Amino acid sequence: EVQLQASGGGLVQAGGSLRLSCAVSGFNFDDYTIGWFRQAPGKEREGVSCISSAGVNTYSSDSVKGRFTVSRDNAKNTVYLQMNSLKPEDTAVYHCAAVRSAEIVCDASFPMNYWGKGTLVTVSS
């Protein structure tokens, strides 16, 4: 069974940090670009940070660039999103998704191969 399990969300004050994890099973993790996407209340889903299958190339949206860092550990089939200097505007449900590609795909409208259930991040103040 294919699973992409996001975890690590919670409540944090503005300026704080969280680290999200996406644990993958059921497919060959090393062949897939993994992306983090978020959807805030009343807003469209957006691509946040994505990383290529080899972990060499990354992409981050302008709104999080310099604050969020995506990484992957292929030995553990896990992708991480380190979120620093969090803002209330970052409040959203964060999802991870996978697409079989050596090239980064970080467009929320793109038909990903797999979507995982999200984890809620709430930033107060």
Side-chain angles (χ1 to χ4, degrees):
E1 182 181 2
V2 172
Q3 294 284 335
L4 288 87
Q5 181 61 57
S7 62
L11 176 64
V12 64
Q13 291 184 323
S17 298
L18 285 173
R19 190 190 194 195
L20 305 184
S21 298
C22 177
V24 171
S25 62
F27 63 93
N28 190 9
F29 179 76
D30 297 355
D31 294 333
Y32 287 76
T33 289
I34 306 296
W36 287 97
F37 301 82
R38 69 185 182 187
Q39 188 164 22
K43 297 182 179 180
E44 294 184 349
R45 185 176 60 197
E46 64 172 326
V48 178
S49 293
C50 301
I51 187 165
S52 64
S53 58
V56 176
N57 298 312
T58 61
Y59 167 86
S60 293
S61 67
D62 290 342
S63 63
V64 307
K65 197 171 298 180
R67 299 188 296 119
F68 292 9
T69 302
V70 63
S71 61
R72 68 191 293 162
D73 186 343
N74 284 9
K76 296 182 178 180
N77 286 6
T78 302
V79 174
Y80 305 96
L81 184 65
Q82 180 66 47
M83 305 186 295
N84 299 325
S85 301
L86 283 162
K87 304 175 181 179
E89 307 92 89
D90 297 318
T91 296
V93 175
Y94 285 73
H95 300 261
C96 54
V99 59
R100 186 181 175 89
S101 176
E103 183 178 353
I104 291 176
V105 179
C106 210
D107 186 343
S109 66
F110 191 86
M112 301 292 178
N113 293 113
Y114 307 112
W115 282 95
K117 291 180 170 59
T119 185
L120 177 63
V121 172
T122 303
V123 184
S124 65
S125 298

